[in-house]
Amino acid sequence: MSNRTACETERARAVARRRELLVEAAHELLVSRGFHGLSLEEVARKAGVTRKTVYNHFGSKLGLLEAIFDAVATKGEVWRLMEAAEFPDLREAIARAVEASCRLWSSDRELLRRLVGLAAVDPETASVVMEREQRREATWARLVQRLAAAGMLRPGVSPDQAVRASMALTSFATFDALAPPDAPPAATVELLLRLLSGIVDLSGSG
Amino acid sequence: MSNRTACETERARAVARRRELLVEAAHELLVSRGFHGLSLEEVARKAGVTRKTVYNHFGSKLGLLEAIFDAVATKGEVWRLMEAAEFPDLREAIARAVEASCRLWSSDRELLRRLVGLAAVDPETASVVMEREQRREATWARLVQRLAAAGMLRPGVSPDQAVRASMALTSFATFDALAPPDAPPAATVELLLRLLSGIVDLSGSG
DNA sequence: CAACAAATTACACACATTGTATAACGAGAC
DNA sequence: GTCTCGTTATACAATGTGTGTAATTTGTTG
């Protein structure tokens, strides 16, 4: 019988559902106990399956981590960042890029704190994070290239410096240090733009 | 906790020497393999002692970590930061504080990358790093207080925002993102001061 | 319905690591 | 020449990762 559901059979949906539950359980435990305290046994129990099932789905603890990372990237709407870098008006492009960054970082702050930190702690997990970070760098490199062409970099600031500075300012670490736990994202966006103005000329009309 | 290593007897010196070797070995392994890959067995072997000796000295893996942290704090000359905050001339005080931060962060960059990241990854180790971070915050709070009193904060920037911004800008994460691996620290100091100028009025003569 | 295929379970295993315990040992301290 | 204290050797318990295998459930399919 041909299945009505364009995507899956009911069985495949059940498998996907279990996978979802596992990622969710791992997510919560990663936040509450940290990476070292995250045991696959507990993840499995919390999701109501066996540890073996976890391995069937993700292969290893690292694989599970990657799945968590993908989930947060989707939820945080990373695509907004890439989109912003191509916006015609440069000032608006920067504002949108900064706003997209803050949106991403605030989408799941505690989880990202673990994830980003992990890359610095454990060489094995670094590649997972670095891959995403390179895409972020490409975005800012593109944006700075446009800024340089428009003569909007402040005198004495090289494009290379500008890329590093904007990467640093819009990194998760900076967001996490800047944004008070309960403050609206907009306030942090404004503060970041203010700091960016030390590097880029944001005054005047577009 | 161990002694202040009075080194009166030759024996005490031998013990202190072993401890030194252990910290050094752990340091290298932490950098090369990360925290997760750092096994006390290997640390002991590298230092030419038994694993039990490691426990005699540090009590646990966390204790060893703390010892490593203390060593890098000393080598990085943290005291310069506190000293800078009290320098009479405010512009010079800021410059010195930023310079002291860069000096600290560049003193052992790869190690600090692990150490700082660890705090975000593992709740158990967080306290070790947080303790130091609080001292850093106290320093910048003091400095910002002086800046606010002198009317040097840019209009629209609250003291609270200024503290968070300066903390963020002079954090290890920002330094690590800003400074190219081979660049002289001075270049990074200049870039940081430029970014800080978005928050603080650094123009005019001191 | 019955055969099938795929995912999951229950169970066992090898291996690494942390942390503890205890008796024997050895070199400097007195 | 003892004595003390750190160290060694060794064993042990507790966890956690990752693999393997047979049995079992559960949709799918002919």
Side-chain angles (χ1 to χ4, degrees):
Chain A
M1 185 189 293
S2 62
N3 45 12
R4 294 289 177 137
T5 55
C7 347
E8 318 274 343
T9 72
E10 182 179 343
R11 179 164 192 172
R13 221 179 313 143
V15 173
R17 175 69 187 141
R18 260 188 291 262
R19 186 191 175 90
E20 218 171 88
L21 279 176
L22 278 170
V23 172
E24 192 180 331
H27 176 139
E28 287 176 28
L29 288 171
L30 178 56
V31 169
S32 61
R33 312 229 171 148
F35 183 70
H36 178 235
L38 175 74
S39 92
L40 299 192
E41 182 68 47
E42 205 172 355
V43 171
R45 196 173 12 173
K46 194 172 176 114
V49 297
T50 312
R51 190 162 58 94
K52 181 73 188 183
T53 300
V54 180
Y55 281 98
N56 283 346
H57 274 280
F58 307 103
S60 68
K61 198 173 177 178
L62 195 64
L64 181 54
L65 202 74
E66 202 151 354
I68 297 175
F69 208 110
D70 282 339
V72 75
T74 302
K75 200 182 82 177
E77 307 180 65
V78 248
W79 58 269
R80 284 178 185 273
L81 183 58
M82 330 299 183
E83 195 192 61
E86 295 303 331
F87 195 83
D89 181 77
L90 265 173
R91 274 170 268 269
E92 178 68 13
I94 290 181
R96 286 185 183 216
V98 170
E99 203 256 329
S101 298
C102 289
R103 178 192 297 264
L104 173 61
W105 302 138
S106 64
S107 70
D108 205 328
R109 199 163 166 182
E110 316 215 3
L111 176 68
L112 283 162
R113 208 173 287 155
R114 306 259 189 252
L115 251 27
V116 171
L118 200 53
V121 168
D122 185 357
E124 286 196 34
T125 68
S127 59
V128 177
V129 179
M130 289 311 168
E131 191 180 311
R132 273 82 177 182
E133 199 66 355
Q134 275 168 11
R135 259 183 282 168
R136 212 168 69 80
E137 172 154 20
T139 300
W140 281 105
R142 168 76 181 125
L143 205 40
V144 164
Q145 178 192 342
R146 292 180 60 201
L147 285 167
M152 285 171 64
L153 293 187
R154 292 208 185 277
V157 176
S158 70
D160 186 59
Q161 270 184 323
V163 171
R164 279 201 308 277
S166 47
M167 282 284 288
L169 286 177
T170 60
S171 69
F172 172 76
T174 299
F175 173 84
D176 199 32
L178 278 187
D182 53 347
T188 305
V189 171
E190 195 206 352
L191 186 52
L192 281 175
L193 286 173
R194 201 189 274 270
L195 290 169
L196 262 175
S197 71
I199 292 292
V200 181
D201 181 13
L202 294 174
S203 66
S205 60
Chain B
M1 311 309 138
S2 284
N3 45 21
R4 276 277 176 265
T5 60
C7 284
E8 296 215 346
T9 72
E10 183 179 342
R11 180 164 191 178
R13 218 178 314 144
V15 173
R17 174 71 187 141
R18 260 188 293 262
R19 186 191 174 88
E20 219 171 87
L21 279 176
L22 277 170
V23 172
E24 193 181 330
H27 177 138
E28 287 176 28
L29 287 172
L30 179 57
V31 169
S32 61
R33 312 230 171 149
F35 183 70
H36 178 237
L38 175 74
S39 94
L40 299 191
E41 182 70 47
E42 203 172 357
V43 170
R45 195 176 25 203
K46 193 170 176 116
V49 297
T50 312
R51 191 162 57 93
K52 179 74 186 179
T53 300
V54 180
Y55 282 97
N56 283 346
H57 274 281
F58 307 102
S60 69
K61 198 173 177 179
L62 196 63
L64 180 54
L65 201 73
E66 201 151 355
I68 297 175
F69 208 110
D70 281 340
V72 75
T74 302
K75 202 181 82 179
E77 307 180 64
V78 247
W79 57 269
R80 285 181 184 270
L81 183 58
M82 330 296 183
E83 194 192 61
E86 296 303 332
F87 195 81
D89 181 78
L90 265 174
R91 274 170 268 269
E92 178 68 13
I94 290 181
R96 287 188 182 210
V98 170
E99 202 255 330
S101 298
C102 289
R103 179 192 296 263
L104 172 60
W105 302 138
S106 64
S107 71
D108 204 328
R109 200 164 166 180
E110 317 215 2
L111 176 68
L112 282 162
R113 208 173 288 156
R114 307 260 189 250
L115 250 29
V116 170
L118 200 52
V121 168
D122 185 357
E124 285 195 34
T125 67
S127 60
V128 178
V129 178
M130 289 311 168
E131 191 180 311
R132 273 82 176 183
E133 200 66 355
Q134 275 168 11
R135 260 184 281 168
R136 212 168 68 80
E137 172 155 20
T139 301
W140 281 105
R142 169 74 182 126
L143 204 40
V144 165
Q145 177 191 342
R146 292 180 60 202
L147 286 167
M152 285 171 63
L153 293 186
R154 291 210 185 275
V157 176
S158 70
D160 185 59
Q161 270 184 323
V163 170
R164 279 201 309 277
S166 48
M167 281 285 288
L169 287 177
T170 59
S171 69
F172 172 76
T174 299
F175 173 84
D176 199 33
L178 279 186
D182 52 347
T188 305
V189 171
E190 195 206 353
L191 186 52
L192 282 176
L193 286 173
R194 201 189 274 269
L195 290 169
L196 262 175
S197 70
I199 293 293
V200 180
D201 181 15
L202 294 174
S203 66
S205 58

